[in-house]
Structure formats: structure tokens, C-alpha cells
Amino acid sequence: MTTIESTLHKYGLTNDDIDIVFLSHLHTDHAGGTVKDKDGILVPRFPKARYIVQKIEWNDAINPNERTAAVYIVDRLMVLKKSGQLDLIEGHMEFLPNIKAVLTGGHTPGHQGIEATSDGMSVGYYADIFPSSNHIRIPYVAAVDLNPIETMAAKRKLVDRMLKDNRAIAFDHDVNIKIGRLSDENGKIVVNKVE
């Protein structure tokens, strides 16, 4: 079975080596692994890391409504706050050189992506704005998006920027394409797998 720890081990790392955890949003499928059980007590999985979250996302997550209560697990999230490792940001922010948080909204009001550039190469990870390569088309939004019109507006801007900048895109819910690059083929946006 693959675990976070076993994957880190393949790269010669441990949980103690992680110093920043960027959270696109706090739905369980994206933030559930931020804490772990240690001798019957929940603790941050990465004891030396700063956890970066949009402030509006945090406020929504710790005050869920009928629709969001199933995807925000407040008790687990509060472990991060109590640990003192939570960094709440507001809006776009470069939090490391050439690594920037981009507030997208849409999927959740505080949903954010990340853009990174290194050695002239750029990649964007926009999480559930583009959960898979099949969601590149503007009207294709997830049924769980809280603000689908806002998601569509964000997608328009991001697709244009990715085409213009030749920025790669990472998908976390796609089983076939994990990293892709967009191209405009006679007005149709196509995702090409990056090997």
C-alpha cells in the first residue's frame, strides 16, 4: 500500500523534512492527510511544516453549513490551528521566490491554486478548478462547486494565461494525465500529456 510516508521515503525524505504544505482548499480529499493519529491523539503529519490556507477558506471550513459539513472535518482542522503551524493568507501571494498562491474561488470561496517557475519552466496546480484534463472546457465544472459561474470565470482567465505563457498544468484527480500542456487546435483547447 502506498502512503505519504512510503512515497517520501522513496525520495530519501521523512515527515520532518517537509517545511511547507500548501492546501488548495480544506475538503477532506485535499486536507485529510494533514493530521495523523499518534498514540490516540491527532497531531500534524508534518511537525515542522507551515500549512498555507486562504483565510476565507479557513473560516468557511470551521463553520460548515448543511452542504459543506460532509467535506469539512472541523476537529481535524483545528489540530493545525492549535499546533501554531497554520498560516492564513488573503488573496494572491508569493510565499517563496517564484512560488505564488493564486486565489481562484469557485469550487469554494477560498479555493486557491499554486504557480511555480524554475529554470524557465512554469507549472500551475489549480486543484479542483481543473480536477482533470477533461475539465479544461469552460462549462465543465464539478457538481460540488459552490460557485460554478465563478469557477468558469477563473477557468477562462487561467486557460488564456496557460496558453500565453506555455505554462504546464498539474491534475490531481486525473488517472491518465498528471502533467499536461495546453494547445489551441483550431479553436479547441487540447491537453497534451507531458512526459
Side-chain angles (χ1 to χ4, degrees):
M1 177 171 92
T2 302
T3 65
I4 292 172
E5 285 77 8
S6 67
T7 302
L8 287 173
H9 181 74
K10 283 196 314 192
Y11 296 98
L13 300 169
T14 69
N15 289 9
D16 287 338
D17 295 313
I18 305 304
D19 54 7
I20 294 179
V21 175
F22 175 87
L23 295 165
S24 59
H25 60 300
L26 296 173
H27 284 173
T28 306
D29 62 325
H30 288 260
T34 58
V35 298
K36 67 177 185 172
D37 185 298
K38 184 177 180 183
D39 302 322
I41 299 170
L42 289 177
V43 297
R45 181 172 301 277
F46 306 107
K48 298 178 180 177
R50 306 300 305 164
Y51 291 81
I52 299 173
V53 178
Q54 289 286 333
K55 184 176 182 179
I56 188 172
E57 179 69 15
W58 177 260
N59 291 336
D60 282 355
I62 62 168
N63 299 293
N65 59 40
E66 284 179 305
R67 184 163 187 207
T68 62
V71 292
Y72 289 133
I73 302 177
V74 177
D75 292 344
R76 294 178 70 87
L77 296 173
M78 291 309 289
V79 171
L80 299 179
K81 180 156 179 76
K82 290 175 186 171
S83 74
Q85 295 172 247
L86 183 65
D87 284 349
L88 299 178
I89 64 172
E90 296 184 66
H92 306 325
M93 181 184 136
E94 186 173 43
F95 57 91
L96 286 173
N98 299 313
I99 302 177
K100 176 173 67 171
V102 178
L103 178 62
T104 64
H107 183 65
T108 66
H111 185 282
Q112 63 183 342
I114 189 170
E115 296 176 347
T117 302
S118 178
D119 295 328
M121 301 282 293
S122 295
V123 65
Y125 165 66
Y126 305 107
D128 284 351
I129 297 299
F130 300 104
S132 76
S133 58
N134 298 311
H135 291 86
I136 288 297
R137 291 190 55 198
I138 303 304
Y140 288 24
V141 298
V144 295
D145 279 18
L146 295 179
N147 300 297
I149 300 300
E150 192 175 303
T151 297
M152 290 169 56
K155 287 172 74 169
R156 273 188 206 90
K157 289 178 189 172
L158 293 169
V159 166
D160 287 346
R161 202 159 82 228
M162 283 185 282
L163 286 168
K164 179 178 167 262
D165 299 343
N166 197 28
R167 181 185 313 274
I169 181 172
F171 302 103
D172 60 357
H173 291 294
D174 197 309
V175 295
N176 297 312
I177 299 177
K178 289 300 180 185
I179 305 278
R181 199 173 298 282
L182 306 186
S183 62
D184 186 335
E185 298 182 9
N186 299 316
K188 181 180 179 186
I189 306 302
V190 175
V191 181
N192 304 292
K193 187 174 185 176
V194 173
E195 299 293 334

